Amino acid sequence: MTQHAKTITPAAASLEALARQRILILDGAMGTQIQTLGLTEEDYRGAGGCACAHHSDHPQKGNNDLLILTQPQAVEEIHFRYAMAGADIVETNTFSATSIAQADYGLEKAVFDLNAQGARIARRAMDRATAIDGRPRFVAGAIGPTNRTASLSPDVNNPGYRAVTFDDLAVAYGQQVTGLIAGGADLILIETIFDTLNAKAAIFACLQAFAATRVTLPLMISGTITDASGRTLSGQTPTAFWHSVAHARPFTVGLNCALGASAMRPHLAELAGVAPTRICAYPNAGLPNAFGQYDETPDQTAAQVADFAREGLVNIVGGCCGTTPDHIRALAEAVAPFRPREVPQ
Ligand SMILES: [Zn+2]
């Protein structure tokens, strides 16, 4: 079976049709919303110290993905608020739900449940929102970069050393995507890519999972430009990044995180110039201040993202670190007058 003969899900067909009509809206940051809840170690662990079926003696405060199992109501409410603010697509709270990232918390065994439940919770929130306004909504299974990098050494004295291999990553991502599919994710979003080799392992795991389930979900692939020279941490320009992931025939390619919208613009324009697929951009609410907080107001972020839309650079927009439901509402209104970017054939 070739890529062209793939089975398209009804959700994917509906998503493609909508993307031709208008610029679609992705949600904003999950972490910022979780922070406002002021959760304690006990809250993270859940009622009775172990509300989920998985036990770990490691401290869990800060393990935001675990809240899927221990505070599911709170996570669902955040998804719901983003949906009602105008998000067509929300991301599951699974950025760090791989065995590699969960090893820090001793919860490698919880990975399947985190991903499957993470997708189900997001689906519930979307269905509630759709019951209110009738708008279709989509769940993107979020896959983060992990906390290890396959193409760079973490040890300056041993440049040949690697803390993780492509094969390790492919196995870990395979577990994650299997859980996301089991939970009913409509598409898969590989995001905050600072090392393209990690992303290639994630793509490989997705294509394997699609072959095994005989259902191909749309892939969104989002890189992160980490410095002023306009390269990813593994040293690629946006053009090189595109050519490294083009074989996945993604539904979107784009950029997120690290920079605010204005600083992201030239890199986004470069990507839009080379990639014959849809473009997705979800910048931070500006650059972090000295306290690591984001100061841009919803209107400020929305005005800059509207410039992307006015210039015909984007098909999907949303927010990354520091953005809130108010940012997403402002952004959805700001891009509404503009047509989605024409995808080059
Ligand atoms: Zn971010």
Side-chain angles (χ1 to χ4, degrees):
M1 192 154 106
T2 71
Q3 283 252 332
H4 298 282
K6 66 189 178 186
T7 312
I8 297 267
T9 64
S14 154
L15 187 65
E16 288 203 12
L18 271 181
R20 277 193 290 273
Q21 293 166 19
R22 60 181 173 84
I23 294 172
L24 299 182
I25 307 299
L26 186 66
D27 63 1
M30 176 59 78
T32 321
Q33 296 301 295
I34 288 173
Q35 264 175 27
T36 65
L37 300 174
L39 301 177
T40 64
E41 171 69 22
E42 297 311 307
D43 296 327
Y44 272 89
R45 301 189 84 85
C50 194
C52 68
H54 306 280
H55 186 75
S56 167
D57 292 326
H58 291 60
Q60 297 299 326
K61 192 174 175 186
N63 187 4
N64 284 352
D65 301 43
L66 179 62
L67 299 174
I68 286 168
L69 301 179
T70 57
Q71 304 291 338
Q73 262 337 105
V75 175
E76 183 179 328
E77 236 11 73
I78 295 169
H79 289 317
F80 179 72
R81 283 205 293 272
Y82 275 121
M84 294 312 292
D88 300 292
I89 304 168
V90 299
E91 293 184 44
T92 56
N93 183 34
T94 54
F95 186 81
S96 300
T98 54
S99 55
I100 292 171
Q102 286 298 315
D104 286 359
Y105 297 102
L107 282 175
E108 297 95 320
K109 290 203 163 57
V111 160
F112 179 85
D113 286 352
L114 287 171
N115 287 285
Q117 278 301 107
R120 289 187 192 109
I121 287 171
R123 182 76 265 158
R124 274 209 299 274
M126 296 308 94
D127 289 348
R128 279 169 57 203
T130 298
I132 292 169
D133 62 16
R135 289 173 53 178
R137 288 187 176 80
F138 307 90
V139 172
I143 294 186
T146 82
N147 47 0
R148 298 189 196 176
T149 174
S151 67
L152 301 165
S153 174
D155 180 357
V156 286
N157 296 316
N158 187 1
Y161 172 73
R162 295 293 179 269
V164 71
T165 65
F166 179 95
D167 290 345
D168 299 335
L169 286 162
V171 168
Y173 283 131
Q175 295 166 342
Q176 177 167 37
V177 73
T178 302
L180 290 168
I181 292 172
D186 298 310
L187 57 153
I188 301 293
L189 168 56
I190 302 169
E191 65 177 348
T192 321
I193 299 163
F194 54 82
D195 183 343
T196 305
L197 191 54
N198 288 43
K200 286 170 88 79
I203 291 167
F204 175 77
C206 286
L207 298 182
Q208 275 201 320
F210 297 161
T213 56
R214 296 176 183 272
V215 177
T216 297
L217 299 184
L219 274 180
M220 297 175 70
I221 298 180
S222 186
T224 294
I225 301 290
T226 46
D227 65 45
S229 74
R231 288 171 188 264
T232 64
L233 190 68
S234 57
Q236 287 187 313
T237 62
T239 301
F241 173 65
W242 164 248
H243 289 296
S244 304
V245 300
H247 67 284
R249 296 168 178 266
F251 178 69
T252 67
V253 69
L255 298 173
N256 74 290
C257 208
L259 304 174
S262 295
M264 182 186 277
R265 199 210 145 276
H267 314 308
L268 198 63
E270 180 180 335
L271 204 51
V274 295
T277 187
R278 296 163 204 83
I279 298 289
C280 175
Y282 53 114
N284 292 346
L287 289 167
N289 64 24
F291 306 102
Q293 289 157 341
Y294 296 85
D295 298 326
E296 265 182 25
T297 64
D299 287 343
Q300 288 171 330
T301 306
Q304 297 167 64
V305 173
D307 286 340
F308 297 167
R310 189 177 294 112
E311 292 168 43
L313 296 178
V314 287
N315 301 88
I316 300 183
V317 295
C320 201
C321 304
T323 58
T324 66
D326 287 340
H327 286 80
I328 296 307
R329 188 174 289 110
L331 201 141
E333 282 169 15
V335 304
F338 304 108
R339 297 281 310 144
R341 164 174 168 274
E342 204 70 53
V343 178
Q345 292 308 305

